[in-house]
Amino acid sequence: MITVNVQYFAILREQRGLAQERLATAAGTPEALYGELRARHGFTLPADRIRAAVNDEFVASSASLRDGDRVVFIPPVAGG
Amino acid sequence: MITVNVQYFAILREQRGLAQERLATAAGTPEALYGELRARHGFTLPADRIRAAVNDEFVASSASLRDGDRVVFIPPVAGG
Amino acid sequence: MFKISPEPIAPAALQRTLADARAGACVTFEGWVRNRNEGQPVLSLEYEAYAPLAEKEGGRIVAEARERFALLSAVCVHRVGHLQLGEMAVWVGVTAEHRGAAFDACRYIIDEAKARVPIWKKEHYASGATAWINCAVRGEHAIP
Amino acid sequence: MFKISPEPIAPAALQRTLADARAGACVTFEGWVRNRNEGQPVLSLEYEAYAPLAEKEGGRIVAEARERFALLSAVCVHRVGHLQLGEMAVWVGVTAEHRGAAFDACRYIIDEAKARVPIWKKEHYASGATAWINCAVRGEHAIP
């Protein structure tokens, strides 16, 4: 188990009901962690429409998570 | 013979040394009139680089000139 | 330079930072909150950004534009917060010796920013409904 | 709307005339007097227009842009007189619902204006020489 900090934005923040949380997980990748959180919180966006960032950089969804990482799941963007 | 008003701009104004003049001519078209004035005043631009306007509208260089027309010879433009 | 701004964007001040005696062309793009989207009346828009990564990714886009086009300078500022109709959501300004590079770079920056920078917008409709743009999923009764 | 202006161009006031609740995009182009042209140091520029026909032909260009692109509004103002480095020679502003039309129309207007509107410019060089741009002829020792 590792402990990570997860930040939520936009539709994920609303569906989770909070902007960040610290949690323990057995997930080794952003993809696995999103699957776990989606099942727990009913996120509507499927994994293939989400990108991941760790410590303020984009990463592959299969990247390895480490203890203490700050993880952000990025819904489809819509600036401008 | 007809009498026309000719206005000069930019390089033609400088080469003519004035901005407008009233003159009598036997020229029946802007092209003929430009040829006459070029010979008289030494305009450097050849006729094929000049466009003509009569009474504030572009016209063909072969258009008919009429008594009282206001004629402008338009050097290559360079706005912006 | 790419910045996220919780304050209203001040285009005149931004444009003054672009002044350069070598510049013959300045192209700007402004994105304004408009009153309709895909046929629905819109009342207001909320913009939210993941600011640290948005500024990094935006900075990369501006750097790419400077590599691809013969620019003198380029700036993009994106607003966050709850914006009313007519307010400015994004400003892009570029200068170049010649206009072709300025137009191409300005468009490159806004196109890439819209596609890549982690900013989201939520539309508030006259009907009272809201929708996060691009976040609807098949089967939902939401804005496609 | 296309105007010839002997006074300095006031872009903020012009841009306010473009405000429209339907507009999502505003693209502007500014042409500035730059300090070099084709390698020669430039000190200042004189612009001269055949104003009545320039405004007619410019108005036709703006009307063409409105026919070709999905615009909400379009304005172009071209300065005349003796301009110093950094001064604005021309301003084009367009609004549209979507940015593609705004970029395309802004570029169309400035490209066509430069090619068709009877405006001339004379460059004053550091050397003391001057040249009417595009008016050199073969055999002259002038700026090509």
Side-chain angles (χ1 to χ4, degrees), chain B:
Chain B
M1 296 285 277
I2 56 172
T3 299
V4 294
N5 297 288
V6 180
Q7 277 181 281
Y8 299 102
F9 290 97
I11 195 170
L12 293 178
R13 178 180 48 71
E14 291 190 349
Q15 292 179 347
R16 178 64 187 92
L18 49 76
Q20 53 185 47
E21 64 182 330
R22 188 174 171 81
L23 53 85
T25 180
T29 65
E31 189 170 24
L33 179 57
Y34 185 73
E36 182 183 314
L37 295 170
R38 188 181 182 212
R40 192 179 309 159
H41 303 299
F43 296 148
T44 49
L45 285 165
D48 64 5
R49 297 193 55 204
I50 295 284
R51 294 184 71 187
V54 171
N55 302 331
D56 297 338
E57 276 301 346
F58 290 114
V59 297
S61 59
S62 58
S64 292
L65 290 180
R66 285 185 290 197
D67 197 60
D69 276 346
R70 193 152 36 83
V71 182
V72 179
F73 296 109
I74 298 177
V77 306

Side-chain angles (χ1 to χ4, degrees), chain C residues 15 21-32 34-35 95 97-100 103-104 106-107 110-111 114, chain D residues 15 21-32 34-35 95 97-100 103-104 106-107 110-111 114:
Chain C
Q15 198 168 10
R22 297 166 296 171
C26 178
V27 173
T28 70
F29 170 82
E30 296 183 5
W32 296 349
R34 68 175 191 273
N35 65 2
T95 51
E97 279 189 53
H98 301 290
R99 69 188 185 282
F103 274 108
D104 290 345
C106 189
R107 188 152 190 179
I110 187 62
D111 285 354
K114 284 185 178 243
Chain D
Q15 198 169 12
R22 298 165 295 172
C26 178
V27 173
T28 69
F29 170 81
E30 296 182 3
W32 296 349
R34 68 174 190 275
N35 65 3
T95 52
E97 280 189 51
H98 300 290
R99 70 187 184 283
F103 274 107
D104 291 345
C106 189
R107 188 153 189 178
I110 187 63
D111 285 353
K114 284 182 178 246

